[in-house]
Amino acid sequence: MLQNYFPILLFIVVGLLVGAGPLLLGRLLAPNRPDAEKLSPYECGFEAFEDARMKFDVRFYLVAILFILFDLEIAFMFPWAVVLKELGLFGLSAMFVFLAILTIGFVYVWKKGALEWE
């Protein structure tokens, strides 16, 4: 009975070794010479100038939501493209309706100036 679970146990052990092995080797073999310059906080190569909890402009969130929206659009299009022959004309027209709705929404956001950075 336990022989059936040995490949799973082996897979878990090898996965842990592959994940933790390089981290442990880096910790053991890498030189460790901390100084004040290395331990100081920085942001993009220069000193931090504001609090990390500052408020962001709404446009950052809007662009992030639009990115997720169009990323999900592509995620829906790949499986659709795989089974397009089985779906036939109905599947093709349904995807065109889906893309038309997304295009109308994108044009609306663009015309409202939501993508402008000024």
Side-chain angles (χ1 to χ4, degrees):
M1 178 70 180
L2 292 177
Q3 293 171 350
N4 294 336
Y5 292 107
F6 181 71
I8 297 171
L9 178 65
L10 185 65
F11 183 75
I12 291 172
V13 169
V14 169
L16 289 173
L17 286 175
V18 168
L23 293 173
L24 291 173
L25 282 174
R27 176 67 96 181
L28 294 173
L29 300 177
N32 187 14
R33 295 186 287 271
D35 61 4
E37 188 72 25
K38 284 184 182 179
L39 297 177
S40 66
Y42 67 96
E43 184 176 325
C44 299
F46 53 87
E47 290 294 324
F49 53 87
E50 293 208 21
D51 186 18
R53 292 180 207 100
M54 68 182 200
K55 292 183 179 180
F56 283 100
D57 195 357
V58 174
R59 288 175 292 202
F60 290 112
Y61 300 110
L62 181 62
V63 169
I65 289 171
L66 287 173
F67 173 77
I68 290 171
L69 179 73
F70 288 107
D71 194 41
L72 285 176
E73 170 194 355
I74 297 300
F76 282 130
M77 288 180 73
F78 278 118
W80 168 80
V82 170
V83 295
L84 181 59
K85 286 185 180 179
E86 288 86 21
L87 294 176
L89 187 60
F90 174 74
L92 186 65
S93 61
M95 184 53 73
F96 277 125
V97 169
F98 175 69
L99 291 175
I101 291 170
L102 282 174
T103 304
I104 290 168
F106 182 70
V107 169
Y108 174 77
V109 167
W110 192 351
K111 292 292 184 183
K112 282 289 193 179
L115 300 176
E116 300 292 327
W117 289 103
E118 304 251 346

